[in-house]
Amino acid sequence: MIEKLKEKGRPEMTSRITLEPVKVLWKQGKVENEEQLLECKSRQISLLARDPSVMETTEGQMASILLDYGYEIHGGIRLHVWGTTPCSDAHVRIRFGESVSEAMSEVGGEDNATNDHARRDLVTEVGMMSMNPIGETGFRFVRIDLLDQTALSIKSVTANLIYKDVPYKGSFQCSDELLNRIWMVGAYTVHLNMQEYIWDGIKRDRLVWVGDMHPETMTIQTVFGEDDAVIRSLDFIREETPLPGWMNQMATYSMWYVIIVHDWFLYTGKMDWLQRQADYLKGVARQLSESIDENGKDTVTQGRFMDWPSSDKSIVTDAGVQAIHYLATDRLEKIFGYLGEPEWAKMCGADKKRLEQFQADYQDSKPAASLLVLAGLKDARRTNEALLQIGGAAGMSTFMGYYILAARAMAGDWQGCLDSIREYWGGMLSLGATTFWEDFDIVWLQNAAPIDRLPKEGEVDVHRTYGSYCYQGYRHSFCHGWASGATAWLSRYVLGVQVLEPRCRKIQVSPHLGDLEWAEGTYPTPYGQVHIRVEKGADGQVKTRVLAPEQVAVVEG
């Protein structure tokens, strides 16, 4: 029978592990022996209760408890219950939170706690000798309320971490432990969002937002190498978006799709996959070509989007969209070259020249300025001096962080980039983050309480207070794959790895240490790992050692 069902069904692409909570952060009412919940116990309920934790709600007060699992995870909990006194079913309320304050919040209202995309606040019924799987969302903290006037005898409240069991083939270590931690947290943030498809966030935005995937795919190739979830997501969004539609109903997201397809092909060299995209890419190229006016300005109307902070600034958005359009057209020209389509490549080359005529104004927007630099439409050094380096990490965004750093790297501002990574991504870590957030601003650090405890009087609750647009208050996602840009940047620019030919047949290794004494790591290719060690000698000279598979040609410097 199982074999027949296996033929009909589809296998899960994820694995599960069980985790015990590491702390009891808070309790109210009559709660006894709660420390037993921190112990590792068998995952099987039994007939006899041995040393149970007991919650008892009385007429006077509800019994509640708040648990900390130590790290943000994707999954749910399993509540093992021996029984109730008197013997009956009991109703419990479970609240998952990416912060302590979110786990203590009510849905809706000014704080904007949400059940969107994944139920994180729910009531369920438990009974005698039961093992109850509850919820699937992104969380670190869980509050349990016993709603009925009864005593509940609990064996354990374990978390089920649901994840894709893939090895970390890439690595990064250097003389600064904070940067090492940032690299790994970025990798872990993306790992949690690598389910069957690539998600934006594990709590809210469990969707394939293709325009947001580019930072994630850069981190994936840096850390995990080739992964089938990338192609599955790209194929999914293409099939969901028949032409002349724009992906996710946003023109710039179709542009980002083109950029991802190019970069993923350059990394994997899968020509048969690229050929399957050819007709669709021709349709996108035609639509983009038709969206340039006589002055060379991009004219797309649906989904003129660069990032949320710029969404109400039309001139800045115009600058960002102009740059993304140019980058996509440049990648299309290269793609059609790989595909042996010279007429299409020629059309894209002509479109690039048209787009170059328009002088975009990035005003005070570091994201727009950076994209224009990366497109070659603005000078890197002048733009860095005029805007990008000013204020360090001020004006950064988690989505656009990689591109700002990459533009500053083009200006040779290696030290400024390292300092901004420490200030920006390190700022989230200083607030207790174990994954990187949908949005962050360094001004949030002022008088802020860490997310792993309730704020004291006079402290700012960061999760409740900040966030804008679609991510206000507790709706704000604290595990968003697009925030992993520092991981990709450290491998790309500190270790100095750049892919030059499809399938990584040729790479360049041009490291930059800044104030670091040494750095080393691995970069996965389809032929195996490239090992890199960079260190400053006693004479101040930088020495680089590279060990690569024989199929990978390495150009140094």
Side-chain angles (χ1 to χ4, degrees):
M1 179 61 75
I2 289 294
E3 293 303 318
K4 290 182 180 179
L5 292 174
K6 284 170 65 176
E7 292 175 5
K8 291 180 60 177
R10 292 179 290 174
E12 286 282 344
M13 297 184 179
T14 52
S15 300
R16 294 173 182 247
I17 58 174
T18 300
L19 300 168
E20 282 71 35
V22 298
K23 292 179 184 177
V24 177
L25 294 176
W26 168 89
K27 66 177 183 177
Q28 76 171 8
K30 190 173 181 181
V31 180
E32 299 176 347
N33 213 17
E34 66 274 6
E35 68 276 1
Q36 281 295 311
L37 298 177
L38 310 182
E39 300 296 322
C40 182
K41 300 178 180 179
S42 67
R43 291 175 289 192
Q44 175 62 47
I45 199 69
S46 57
L47 185 62
L48 298 176
R50 294 185 178 179
D51 209 8
S53 301
V54 179
M55 300 175 65
E56 183 176 358
T57 290
T58 64
E59 185 175 355
Q61 190 168 35
M62 181 172 64
S64 305
I65 193 168
L66 178 67
L67 304 173
D68 178 3
Y69 289 86
Y71 292 90
E72 171 120 4
I73 65 171
H74 165 248
I77 62 169
R78 187 177 291 270
L79 180 58
H80 290 72
V81 174
W82 269 303
T84 60
T85 304
C87 185
S88 64
D89 293 335
H91 293 86
V92 292
R93 180 183 180 186
I94 308 295
R95 277 178 272 184
F96 298 92
E98 295 185 296
S99 64
V100 164
S101 55
E102 184 184 26
M104 303 288 278
S105 68
E106 300 290 338
V107 170
E110 293 182 1
D111 298 338
N112 207 29
T114 181
N115 269 331
D116 292 348
H117 302 188
R119 309 299 288 183
R120 47 152 299 277
D121 186 342
L122 62 159
V123 174
T124 190
E125 191 174 59
V126 298
M128 182 177 62
M129 290 178 286
S130 61
M131 300 183 289
N132 307 274
I134 302 170
E136 184 181 318
T137 185
F139 71 99
R140 173 179 168 181
F141 308 96
V142 173
R143 174 173 168 171
I144 303 171
D145 299 327
L146 177 58
L147 302 181
D148 300 323
Q149 292 183 31
T150 185
L152 186 66
S153 178
I154 302 172
K155 178 178 182 179
S156 60
V157 186
T158 56
N160 290 323
L161 167 61
I162 303 172
Y163 71 108
K164 192 169 190 179
D165 192 3
V166 290
Y168 284 51
K169 299 176 181 177
S171 63
F172 178 87
Q173 290 286 317
C174 70
S175 54
D176 184 338
E177 189 54 40
L178 176 59
L179 294 179
N180 298 338
R181 188 179 170 205
I182 289 169
W183 189 95
M184 184 55 71
V185 171
Y188 178 64
T189 301
V190 168
H191 195 179
L192 291 182
N193 283 285
M194 288 169 61
Q195 301 290 320
E196 183 173 356
Y197 298 91
I198 305 298
W199 289 343
D200 235 22
I202 55 174
K203 177 189 74 175
R204 199 209 82 251
D205 266 355
R206 298 156 65 97
L207 299 168
V208 180
W209 287 103
V210 71
D212 307 343
M213 274 179 56
H214 190 246
E216 289 184 273
T217 56
M218 289 190 297
T219 300
I220 289 169
Q221 69 185 50
T222 298
V223 179
F224 305 99
E226 187 175 350
D227 189 90
D228 57 5
V230 174
I231 286 179
R232 189 177 298 112
S233 299
L234 292 173
D235 287 350
F236 169 82
I237 199 67
R238 187 194 69 241
E239 292 164 6
E240 287 279 306
T241 316
L243 295 171
W246 298 114
M247 289 181 170
N248 301 128
Q249 302 179 13
M250 303 174 78
T252 46
Y253 278 33
S254 289
M255 299 174 197
W256 280 116
Y257 165 81
V258 168
I259 296 167
I260 297 169
V261 168
H262 169 270
D263 291 0
W264 197 247
F265 169 74
L266 187 63
Y267 179 75
T268 65
K270 293 294 182 66
M271 180 58 75
D272 57 341
W273 173 74
L274 187 66
Q275 288 171 337
R276 292 198 297 272
Q277 320 309 312
D279 289 343
Y280 194 90
L281 290 169
K282 289 176 182 177
V284 174
R286 185 181 298 110
Q287 289 177 211
L288 291 179
S289 183
E290 293 169 353
S291 301
I292 306 171
D293 70 15
E294 65 276 8
N295 298 313
K297 184 180 185 297
D298 168 274
T299 60
V300 294
T301 55
Q302 184 181 19
R304 293 187 64 79
F305 179 84
M306 179 182 66
D307 64 353
W308 284 110
S310 306
S311 59
D312 56 353
K313 302 173 183 177
S314 60
I315 294 176
V316 168
T317 297
D318 285 348
V321 173
Q322 188 79 11
I324 299 168
H325 190 153
Y326 186 93
L327 289 166
T329 302
D330 175 73
R331 301 310 189 268
L332 282 166
E333 182 182 23
K334 291 180 171 67
I335 287 170
F336 291 131
Y338 295 136
L339 290 170
E341 297 277 4
E343 292 304 314
W344 284 94
K346 182 179 178 181
M347 181 192 81
C348 293
D351 287 344
K352 284 167 56 180
K353 292 186 181 300
R354 294 165 63 200
L355 290 165
E356 289 169 0
Q357 298 173 26
F358 182 74
Q359 294 300 311
D361 182 3
Y362 57 74
Q363 296 189 336
D364 62 348
S365 169
K366 288 185 177 181
S370 299
L371 291 171
L372 289 166
V373 167
L374 295 174
L377 300 176
K378 295 292 181 184
D379 180 79
R381 290 190 181 275
R382 286 199 293 269
T383 306
N384 189 54
E385 291 172 0
L387 176 62
L388 300 181
Q389 69 179 2
I390 296 174
M396 295 276 282
S397 77
T398 50
F399 177 30
M400 286 286 153
Y402 174 88
Y403 310 103
I404 295 170
L405 294 171
R408 294 178 69 179
M410 288 177 64
D413 188 9
W414 314 110
Q415 190 57 51
C417 288
L418 292 177
D419 290 341
S420 290
I421 291 172
R422 292 170 176 133
E423 184 180 9
Y424 190 75
W425 282 269
M428 282 181 270
L429 297 183
S430 73
L431 292 177
T434 58
T435 48
F436 290 134
W437 303 349
E438 183 176 13
D439 192 19
F440 179 67
D441 193 305
I442 57 172
V443 300
W444 299 0
L445 294 169
Q446 298 173 15
N447 199 33
I451 65 171
D452 54 5
R453 65 169 172 81
L454 289 172
K456 299 175 183 177
E457 185 175 355
E459 289 183 324
V460 177
D461 181 344
V462 170
H463 203 177
R464 176 178 182 266
T465 304
Y466 297 117
S468 303
Y469 307 102
C470 65
Y471 49 87
Q472 294 176 355
Y474 295 132
R475 198 172 191 269
H476 188 182
S477 163
F478 273 11
C479 180
H480 233 64
W482 73 11
S484 66
T487 298
W489 191 92
L490 288 167
S491 292
R492 166 67 183 86
Y493 290 99
V494 174
L495 295 181
V497 182
Q498 181 181 9
V499 178
L500 299 179
E501 292 186 5
R503 200 166 171 77
C504 302
R505 288 189 296 267
K506 179 186 287 187
I507 66 170
Q508 184 177 46
V509 177
S510 180
H512 301 277
L513 288 177
D515 62 1
L516 300 175
E517 293 299 316
W518 60 270
E520 65 181 349
T522 54
Y523 185 84
T525 77
Y527 300 107
Q529 293 168 314
V530 177
H531 297 258
I532 302 161
R533 169 81 184 187
V534 189
E535 57 188 320
K536 291 177 182 174
D539 58 359
Q541 296 297 309
V542 175
K543 299 178 181 179
T544 304
R545 296 196 299 269
V546 182
L547 180 63
E550 62 180 13
Q551 300 94 332
V552 179
V554 178
V555 178
E556 295 191 37

